[in-house]
Amino acid sequence: MSRRAKTAVYGVLCLLALPFLFPTWWMVTSSLKPVNEIFAFPPTLFPTDVSFDAYAKAFELQPFARQYFNSMYIAALVTIGTLAVSSLAGYAFARIRFKGANFWFVVILVGLLIPSEVTIVPLFKMFDAWGMVDTHWPLILVPILGAPSVLATFIMRQFFLALPGELEEAAKVDGLGRFAIFRLIALPLARPALGAVAIFTFLHSWNLYLEPIVFLSSSEMFTLPQALTQFVDAYGGPMWDIQLSAASLTALPVLVVFVIAQRQFIEGLAHTGLKG
């Protein structure tokens, strides 16, 4: 492509990106505005009177720092656990030949067809019997062993299927066992797929809303999506400036994770359809 054609393409792409970028821009800039300026007409693209008071109030009205930490460590544990489970399961289904492998893989994929709302009541009764209600255990165990891990297993399996079989044969000649081949050869090569799984798993756990509402009742145990709904005035109306400032802080880790690992994310998804 000529330089003029590239400039035209990038110009069109920038215009198409505006509808996706503008809501984020409005959220961040509005968090720095007084309440009366947020809904001013015509709207202002930049705050005329920049103020960080709403950010300070977000931490004063409720234990927002604790809730931020709750979401952070839960998402980290869920991501690590899902990577461990899905990589092992995906490798087993892709590289180990055992009776009924395809059948059991289809059975596992059926888990993606079951909405989380269908299983939330049985899960609540189960965790209540175990004394885990109002703890973070349900928010950690359910995603690792549930639908997000199923999708991650599918991605990992598709990636491992695309690996040349000669690599394993050479490793066996060198005396490596099955787990050593997985740990020393297959897993390092699967970094693009692991990056893709890590991003969507972290994002899913970070934005989880239904399960925290069902399992958590103490404000100190809340995660961020649940905490954002608590910034209301005495009449139950939203405190817009504080909600927008808290939402801006909530979106920051997701943007950072995606910017760092976006290349691995794209490469990992590209490899999921190479071989069936």
Side-chain angles (χ1 to χ4, degrees):
M1 295 178 63
S2 64
R3 181 175 298 180
R4 182 176 298 179
K6 288 183 179 179
T7 302
V9 170
Y10 282 115
V12 172
L13 291 177
C14 290
L15 290 176
L16 294 176
L18 287 178
F20 302 95
L21 297 176
F22 182 76
T24 303
W25 173 265
W26 181 85
M27 176 184 69
V28 175
T29 56
S30 297
S31 68
L32 303 173
K33 299 176 182 178
V35 177
N36 58 348
E37 189 182 348
I38 294 177
F39 296 104
F41 188 83
T44 57
L45 292 178
F46 300 92
T48 57
D49 184 16
V50 177
S51 174
F52 292 92
D53 293 341
Y55 286 88
K57 291 180 180 178
F59 292 91
E60 295 173 0
L61 296 179
Q62 58 176 324
F64 192 68
R66 173 66 183 273
Q67 295 159 351
Y68 208 98
F69 174 76
N70 291 341
S71 284
M72 187 67 73
Y73 97 85
I74 290 173
L77 290 179
V78 169
T79 301
I80 294 173
T82 301
L83 287 175
V85 171
S86 63
S87 60
L88 288 169
Y91 181 80
F93 280 113
R95 314 303 299 189
I96 300 177
R97 297 291 175 257
F98 57 92
K99 188 175 181 179
N102 292 331
F103 170 78
W104 290 114
F105 185 68
V106 171
V107 170
I108 292 176
L109 289 181
V110 171
L112 292 174
L113 305 178
I114 302 176
S116 59
E117 293 81 3
V118 174
T119 60
I120 194 68
V121 173
L123 286 173
F124 178 83
K125 291 184 176 180
M126 181 181 70
F127 284 112
D128 185 41
W130 292 348
M132 293 184 179
V133 173
D134 203 23
T135 70
H136 292 148
W137 282 112
L139 308 184
I140 297 172
L141 296 177
V142 172
I144 292 177
L145 303 176
S149 188
V150 173
L151 180 59
T153 300
F154 172 77
I155 292 177
M156 297 304 301
R157 174 184 178 269
Q158 297 302 106
F159 189 93
F160 287 132
L161 281 174
L163 293 180
E166 292 78 6
L167 293 175
E168 288 190 353
E169 294 175 3
K172 291 178 181 179
V173 171
D174 291 337
L176 294 181
R178 177 65 67 180
F179 185 75
I181 295 174
F182 166 76
R183 182 173 60 88
L184 299 176
I185 298 178
L187 198 59
L189 293 174
R191 281 180 295 180
L194 292 173
V197 170
I199 287 179
F200 80 73
T201 302
F202 184 90
L203 182 61
H204 176 270
S205 178
W206 189 262
N207 292 331
L208 206 61
Y209 182 69
L210 175 63
E211 285 79 358
I213 288 180
V214 173
F215 293 111
L216 303 179
S217 57
S218 303
S219 60
E220 292 80 7
M221 304 297 292
F222 285 176
T223 56
L224 287 177
Q226 191 177 8
L228 292 177
T229 64
Q230 305 302 309
F231 292 110
V232 294
D233 56 25
Y235 300 99
M239 305 170 71
W240 289 106
D241 54 341
I242 300 177
Q243 282 191 355
L244 290 172
S245 63
S248 299
L249 292 174
T250 300
L252 185 60
V254 176
L255 294 176
V256 171
V257 170
F258 185 78
V259 168
I260 293 176
Q262 60 177 326
R263 183 176 180 180
Q264 287 78 10
F265 178 73
I266 296 172
E267 290 180 1
L269 292 183
H271 281 82
T272 58
L274 291 181
K275 189 174 183 180

